[in-house]
Amino acid sequence: MAPSKVLAGARVVLPTGIVHDGRVIIDGARISGGQAPADAPVTDLSGHWLVPGFVDIHNHGGGGASFTSGTVEDVLRGIHTHRLHGTTTVVASTVTGDMHGLAERAGMLSELAEQGDLAGIHFEGPFISPCRKGAHSEELLRDPDPAEVRKLVDAARGRASMVTLAPELPGGLDSVRLLAEHGVIAAIGHTDATYEQTQAAIDAGATVATHLFNAMPALGHRTPGPIAALLEDERITVELINDGTHLHPASLELAFHHAGPDRVAFITDAMDAAGFGDGRYMLGPLEVEVADGVARLVEGGSIAGSTLTLDRAFQRAVTVDRLPVEDVVAAISANPARLLGVYDRVGSLEPGKDADLVVLDADFALKGVMRKGEWVVDPQLG
């Protein structure tokens, strides 16, 4: 067990607000509400920010490793890559594949979830619209038959966190109901649904919008489509990819204004190249070219996930989008933790919770990462 330690002097972001010259005591793997031992080492974080570890509910890989096709060692490398960038809790997302292969992948990923390396599994596809397939293989897409959706959920052995589907397809609403009954997040995405069809899916139990604005019809004045329905409904949390490529800053502002900070979850939608570099990669069966940090399909040019890490999303949200720090913390830590049902353990800096935290400098650049009381990135401050 990690020894007790004290982190002092930072601006600490708590659920109740910002505490200047704050003091956080770590007892082993958890945040303590008591007194630190007299001999506990003190890390001076003056001039820095201390925020909760980031929680990513939509992530396909990183560090050159794929959660969809990599070995156990590959997946662990991808998880570690994102930890180096502040993501202390991560859900592994798959992409469209054949049902047998996805079930096998779910079995492997569920073992890592049981070990505590992953927070769960997100199936993005194959139950999505060919009209809005993005970087998914069209020949492997299928309608969301509830029996097949149930097979994937069962293959995850209780570790399925979320399934993205297009609710307008045959079986869509019944699949949403099935997922809700089994405690799995039903997410609306890669969809060609109308405004009314989206409302029906929300009434059936859907609670998340998969990367809002991307892979769905644009907001129209006569055909408002899914975006309006998802933004206006208090039951929906909207995922946003804040990398400067997937969303115009005005779209991000629109989402925050209408949904409010308690209904936004920043995600990476990262693929293998995140934290790794430009080059050619495979996303499921499709080849991807990453140039200047932007991932696109070699064939067709569709955006193919991102190379984003959540520390960059945080910094951009504060410095470019000018969002309040407390709202960014909610979107990047607290809200996704609540969605996953793990807010009792992570997502905020409160006594009794895991000592998962991120140190940022005055310009919001990452300087330190702690997970369960151990430094993943030591701030090495004087």
Side-chain angles (χ1 to χ4, degrees):
M1 179 180 285
S4 296
K5 51 180 74 75
V6 178
L7 310 179
R11 284 171 283 188
V12 182
V13 182
L14 301 175
T16 52
I18 298 171
V19 176
H20 294 268
D21 194 19
R23 183 178 174 90
V24 175
I25 300 167
I26 310 299
D27 183 13
R30 297 186 182 276
I31 298 170
S32 172
Q35 296 293 317
D39 60 349
V42 178
T43 302
D44 182 8
L45 297 176
S46 299
H48 289 70
W49 292 86
L50 198 60
V51 301
F54 308 146
V55 181
D56 194 355
I57 61 172
H58 187 157
N59 187 319
H60 299 279
S66 169
F67 295 157
T68 293
S69 59
T71 64
V72 170
E73 292 72 22
D74 291 335
V75 174
L76 290 172
R77 185 169 80 252
I79 293 168
H80 182 67
T81 295
H82 285 281
R83 283 182 186 166
L84 293 174
H85 292 275
T87 299
T88 51
T89 301
V90 63
V91 170
S93 300
T94 62
V95 296
T96 294
D98 68 84
M99 290 294 291
H100 177 72
L102 285 172
E104 283 192 338
R105 175 61 33 170
M108 186 262 264
L109 294 173
S110 68
E111 291 181 11
L112 293 176
E114 287 159 11
Q115 294 171 17
D117 296 299
L118 291 171
I121 304 165
H122 164 217
F123 297 101
E124 187 179 26
F127 311 115
I128 60 176
S129 171
C131 303
R132 305 287 174 177
K133 64 182 184 299
H136 291 256
S137 178
E138 184 166 353
E139 58 266 25
L140 294 173
L141 300 181
R142 55 209 302 137
D143 291 337
D145 179 338
E148 295 206 316
V149 174
R150 176 68 186 270
K151 284 180 185 176
L152 284 189
V153 170
D154 287 347
R157 302 200 303 255
R159 300 294 175 168
S161 296
M162 182 163 66
V163 176
T164 293
L165 55 77
E168 74 278 10
L169 297 175
L173 293 182
D174 285 339
S175 292
V176 169
R177 295 186 188 98
L178 171 81
L179 292 167
E181 288 167 5
H182 285 80
V184 179
I185 296 166
I188 299 170
H190 288 275
T191 177
D192 207 38
T194 64
Y195 175 83
E196 292 77 15
Q197 288 169 330
T198 306
Q199 285 183 316
I202 297 169
D203 288 339
T207 55
V208 167
T210 292
H211 44 53
L212 187 75
F213 297 108
N214 299 116
M216 60 182 63
L219 186 64
H221 63 297
R222 292 193 185 91
T223 53
I227 293 172
L230 294 164
L231 280 177
E232 73 185 9
D233 200 299
E234 295 292 324
R235 294 170 288 183
I236 291 291
T237 299
V238 298
E239 294 181 348
L240 298 175
I241 309 171
N242 193 22
D243 61 355
T245 298
H246 281 77
L247 294 176
H248 189 283
S251 297
L252 183 104
E253 183 181 2
L254 177 75
F256 257 93
H257 177 75
H258 283 279
D262 293 334
R263 288 180 46 221
V264 172
F266 280 139
I267 61 163
T268 60
D269 193 16
M271 45 82 71
D272 313 18
F276 200 66
D278 290 353
R280 289 219 171 183
Y281 298 84
M282 297 302 295
L283 187 61
L286 303 178
E287 193 172 14
V288 175
E289 177 79 33
V290 179
D292 298 324
V294 178
R296 294 185 180 275
L297 290 182
V298 170
E299 192 172 323
S302 291
I303 292 178
S306 85
T307 62
L308 185 63
T309 50
L310 282 181
D311 58 332
R312 285 171 42 215
F314 193 114
Q315 187 177 40
R316 180 181 175 85
V318 178
T319 62
V320 176
D321 303 309
R322 303 294 179 185
L323 294 171
V325 176
E326 305 98 310
D327 290 355
V328 179
V329 167
I332 215 162
S333 299
N335 298 343
R338 286 193 185 95
L339 277 173
L340 293 176
V342 295
Y343 188 67
D344 60 328
R345 303 197 305 274
V346 300
S348 67
L349 300 178
E350 295 177 271
K353 291 194 175 185
D354 289 352
D356 291 1
L357 51 88
V358 175
V359 180
L360 304 169
D361 68 13
D363 297 319
F364 298 96
L366 183 141
K367 292 299 177 182
V369 181
M370 179 181 285
R371 185 173 188 270
K372 295 190 175 179
E374 298 279 4
W375 289 114
V376 180
V377 178
D378 194 322
Q380 295 182 326
L381 301 171

